[in-house]
Amino acid sequence: MSSQPDYKTSPKVDEYRVSARKYRPTKFADLVGQDVLVRVLTNGLKAGKLPHAILLTGIRGIGKTTTARILARALNCTGRDVTAAPDPCGACDSCQTIGQDRNIDVIEMDAASRTGVEDIREIIENAKYKPVSSQYKVYIIDEVHMLSKSAFNALLKTLEEPPAHVKFIFATTEVQKVPKTVISRCMCFELRRWDLETLQKHLTWVCKQEKVQADEKAITLLARAADGSGRDGLSLLDQAIALSDGKVTAQSASDMLGLAEAGKLFTLLKAIIKGETQPVLDLVQELYSIGTDPLTLLNDLLEMIHGLTLLNVSAAANASSIPAIDHTEAQNLAQSLTMPTLNRLWQITLKGLHEAQSAPVPQQACQMVILRLVYASTLPSFESLIQNAPAKNVVSIPQQPTKPDMGKSETVKPQTVQSDNNAASNLPKTFVEVVDFIAKQREPLVLAHLKNNVHLVSYAPGKIEMRLNDKAPQSLPKRLGQLLKQWTNVHWDVIVSTQEGMPTLFEQNETKKEKIFAETAKDPLVAKALEAFPGAAIQSVEPTHAARG
């Protein structure tokens, strides 16, 4: 990449310029990471078909204003054949005057400081006049989203049908704040972030130009901290060079970026995951002592958990929020954790951050959140509890098929069995097992009637004799037989009897409860409690929906 000639100073003045200015691109070929933008603009210049208004968007420091200046010079350059070489020559009078910011036909305006409608009216009035010494009048409006609503409205008509000699180039970091009526009148380009590898190569190139030695790991740290911004990367490099003694090392870059404190945060997160209570408390106290804000601490932990989650999903993820110098360590930690564990850590920290924000003493709230994380990190996952749970009272019931959508006319296919003997051996052995079986099939109406309105007379696998009370529908036996045959592939005889039969399952359960209550009341402690609280009674507490789930 070539450097821009120093137009503003005489050879006698030794002016220091930051790298972002010193190595600012002066031609399209030098624009880093913007291949699509360069291709469209250069092709448009060659064909003479550039639009009258161009909108450049993207994060800070990726080349929006630089692109606008190169384009302004290319439009007015007289030192080359534009159809053959779209890049400005840099030597003609037009390129020289634009480079020195003294070309009367190229007007650069900062919308952050000139936001009013009067400023736009001045542009509209001057746009009527032809350029003095150039082919085009070029208006470069930086941070265009800062213009007032009335200023945008005043610009609309001229923006839609400008004079043939006028070009507008807008730049903004917040395109969502630009009215859609303005966007629709522009050719829009979203400049891309610099990827990590591109930024590393660029910083290494600048170091060679400046004859500065830099460790590869230091360059990586600086590039990652720049977060896709070329200007931020060069500014950090300038700072690292000023801090170092002729050589930029990983240690000096780490100290400059504050990664020493961030490294403590990463150590804290590892201790939390391991469930080491005392080391965690010591690290939290150490961070407090160096001035770390409790809310900032929780925010940083959230960023690290997010980064570990990305690395857990993909080892190639760019988890820039993890400040570990050795990212292999971060990848190993991420791969050792399960997604449920990471999700639990995220949820607890996020909820704890909201609690700390409203707590009277945020430091105490932060400690409580971190201790909650310590103990939560050692809890077994739900899946492991299911897998390791001992099997108790398991009933051998044929595997249920997926229940169809009641809104669709589908029939449930019976489960295939190998033989009648095998099918018979898998049948429910008792009526209670039949009811449990129906419960598993999610037939709530049939289940309710079997529990509350059916008196069992006799039961054998494949045959049920019952008496129905007045609340049970007469179609219940037929429906029960159909369901049992459908799910077991065995014919069932469900017979209605006139015999009294047994109490319903609900009545049997109530009898058991009364017996248990009576036995419980005989306990000396319970008897004293009942005596101390006249009118008190023993009751069973039904589980809540959440507990049952």
Side-chain angles (χ1 to χ4, degrees), residues 14 69 87 90 101 218 249 253 257 275 296 310 317 328 334 404 410 414 419-420 427 448 471 481 522 549:
D14 186 14
R69 291 173 179 173
D87 278 321
D101 293 336
T249 64
L257 294 171
T296 301
L310 294 181
T328 302
E410 295 181 9
S419 65
D420 291 341
L427 296 180
K471 296 180 180 179
K522 295 179 182 178

Side-chain angles (χ1 to χ4, degrees), residues 50-63:
L50 274 182
H52 58 269
I54 293 175
L55 176 62
L56 306 173
T57 72
I59 66 167
R60 81 278 169 211
I62 54 174

Side-chain angles (χ1 to χ4, degrees), residues 7 48 72 83 140 169 226 245 264 268 276 292 307 341 368 444 487:
Y7 298 121
T83 60
I140 300 173
I169 306 176
D245 187 15
K264 288 186 175 65
L268 172 64
E276 300 172 346
T292 304
T341 299
M368 294 299 294
W487 288 321

Side-chain angles (χ1 to χ4, degrees), residues 101-369:
D101 293 336
R102 58 182 179 85
N103 189 300
I104 195 172
D105 297 318
V106 177
I107 300 94
E108 188 169 340
M109 169 182 156
D110 180 17
S113 58
R114 302 181 65 184
T115 63
V117 66
E118 293 300 326
D119 300 307
I120 296 301
R121 284 175 180 166
E122 181 182 340
I123 290 177
I124 294 172
E125 186 65 28
N126 291 334
K128 298 177 182 178
Y129 304 102
K130 291 186 176 182
V132 176
S133 59
S134 305
Q135 184 177 357
Y136 293 100
K137 265 191 174 179
V138 181
Y139 290 94
I140 300 173
I141 303 182
D142 204 3
E143 299 302 336
V144 69
H145 66 274
M146 300 290 285
L147 290 178
S148 65
K149 183 178 180 181
S150 57
F152 275 124
N153 290 336
L155 184 62
L156 285 179
K157 188 61 178 177
T158 302
L159 190 60
E160 185 171 13
E161 298 178 0
H165 58 267
V166 172
K167 299 288 186 183
F168 288 99
I169 306 176
F170 303 132
T172 178
T173 54
E174 300 183 54
V175 69
Q176 71 277 5
K177 294 183 179 180
V178 179
K180 292 182 179 179
T181 51
V182 172
I183 295 176
S184 66
R185 290 165 167 83
C186 302
M187 178 180 284
C188 301
F189 296 95
E190 183 173 359
L191 278 69
R192 300 179 58 184
R193 288 174 179 265
W194 293 25
D195 60 69
L196 185 62
E197 183 180 356
T198 299
L199 195 48
Q200 285 174 316
K201 290 180 179 178
H202 186 59
L203 296 181
T204 302
W205 178 85
V206 172
C207 285
K208 290 180 180 178
Q209 304 304 308
E210 294 292 313
K211 297 180 173 54
V212 172
Q213 292 184 340
D215 292 347
E216 182 179 347
K217 188 170 289 187
I219 293 294
T220 301
L221 289 174
L222 296 174
R224 184 175 286 115
D227 193 25
S229 170
R231 184 175 62 222
D232 286 4
L234 291 172
S235 298
L236 290 172
L237 179 60
D238 284 344
Q239 187 178 349
I241 292 173
L243 180 66
S244 65
D245 187 15
K247 182 177 181 180
V248 180
T249 64
Q251 185 61 48
S252 64
S254 176
D255 293 340
M256 183 196 78
L257 294 171
L259 293 184
E261 178 181 336
K264 288 186 175 65
L265 283 170
F266 187 65
T267 303
L268 172 64
L269 183 57
K270 290 192 294 183
I272 288 173
I273 292 170
K274 293 179 182 178
E276 300 172 346
T277 307
Q278 192 57 49
V280 165
L281 292 176
D282 292 342
L283 281 167
V284 170
Q285 187 58 44
E286 184 179 349
L287 288 167
Y288 287 153
S289 66
I290 61 177
T292 304
D293 180 72
L295 299 181
T296 301
L297 173 59
L298 293 177
N299 264 316
D300 290 344
L301 284 176
L302 273 176
E303 288 187 12
M304 290 186 191
I305 294 169
H306 173 258
L308 288 176
T309 305
L310 294 181
L311 289 174
N312 179 274
V313 174
S314 171
N318 180 20
S320 58
S321 58
I322 301 180
I325 295 178
D326 183 9
H327 270 243
T328 302
E329 182 182 9
Q331 289 177 349
N332 292 337
L333 179 62
Q335 295 302 318
S336 69
L337 300 172
T338 63
M339 186 57 68
T341 299
L342 289 165
N343 186 56
R344 185 163 61 229
L345 293 175
W346 171 268
Q347 294 292 341
I348 292 174
T349 308
L350 184 61
K351 184 175 184 298
L353 177 61
H354 295 314
E355 293 175 359
Q357 287 171 340
S358 58
V361 184
Q363 179 177 347
Q364 294 177 355
C366 179
Q367 283 183 324
M368 294 299 294
V369 172

Side-chain angles (χ1 to χ4, degrees), residues 454-456 500-508 511:
V454 168
H455 299 266
L456 182 67
E500 183 67 20
M502 301 170 60
T504 65
L505 293 180
F506 175 78
E507 292 170 345
Q508 294 179 37
T511 301

